[in-house]
Amino acid sequence: MKQRKKVMYVDNKKFYEAIVDYHKQVQQAHQEGKEEPRISNYIGECIYKIAENLSTKPCFINYSFRDEMISDGIENCILYFKDYNPNYSNGGSATQNPFTYFTQIVYYAFLRRINREEKNRYTDRKSTRLNSSHEWI
């Protein structure tokens, strides 16, 4: 029986090449004194796919605020996009895996959103409990 080749939703090599091209465009814009270019649609699509697919994992799928989690993940990826260094050397070999870098950013954005929502729920329940107890007095 043939094993099916697993199709990834983000092609890591193309994603890496797109990021390298973007960094070259940014360097060229700085040298010419121009404004930085926008992130390409392909890079944005990859970031969206990473956030969307991570949100379908069992530990995140049942939250009612999943859309907010995805939005936070995308926002953080764009915010920290410039921090990704494609030429970074880790033990002698350049890290050419932007997928893991952005997946970690999205993962921690999800955790921050969950903590925020849990705090909001706690304060809402506590204030509701206090307001309902004052009505009987």
Side-chain angles (χ1 to χ4, degrees):
M1 182 189 281
K2 285 186 179 180
Q3 287 187 352
R4 287 180 22 187
K5 187 176 181 181
K6 190 173 183 180
V7 178
M8 298 301 291
Y9 53 91
V10 173
D11 184 0
N12 204 23
K13 289 181 183 179
K14 285 176 66 176
F15 189 31
Y16 176 77
E17 290 169 5
I19 291 173
V20 169
D21 289 342
Y22 175 77
H23 279 284
K24 288 178 185 176
Q25 292 172 4
V26 168
Q27 287 176 352
Q28 185 178 10
H30 282 294
Q31 289 173 354
E32 296 173 359
K34 294 181 180 179
E35 200 173 296
E36 287 186 5
R38 297 175 100 186
I39 295 173
S40 70
N41 287 340
Y42 179 74
I43 293 172
E45 185 180 316
C46 288
I47 290 171
Y48 174 76
K49 286 178 181 178
I50 290 169
E52 181 69 34
N53 283 307
L54 185 61
S55 74
T56 61
K57 297 296 178 199
C59 56
F60 298 124
I61 198 158
N62 290 326
Y63 287 105
S64 60
F65 44 88
R66 220 174 103 216
D67 292 334
E68 288 87 356
M69 290 166 52
I70 293 169
S71 297
D72 287 348
I74 293 169
E75 180 184 5
N76 283 354
C77 284
I78 292 171
L79 185 66
Y80 296 116
F81 186 79
K82 293 176 187 169
D83 291 344
Y84 178 74
N85 184 1
N87 300 321
Y88 175 74
S89 178
N90 185 12
S93 63
T95 56
Q96 297 181 355
N97 196 351
F99 179 81
T100 56
Y101 177 79
F102 290 107
T103 301
Q104 286 295 308
I105 290 173
V106 171
Y107 178 80
Y108 286 111
F110 285 7
L111 294 182
R112 282 191 295 277
R113 172 55 73 174
I114 291 168
N115 286 336
R116 257 190 311 239
E117 292 293 332
E118 292 297 324
K119 285 180 186 177
N120 288 344
R121 283 185 186 172
Y122 174 76
T123 56
D124 287 347
R125 288 180 182 157
K126 193 167 186 169
S127 66
T128 303
R129 211 177 283 161
L130 287 174
N131 288 338
S132 64
S133 67
H134 288 294
E135 292 174 6
W136 294 101
I137 297 177

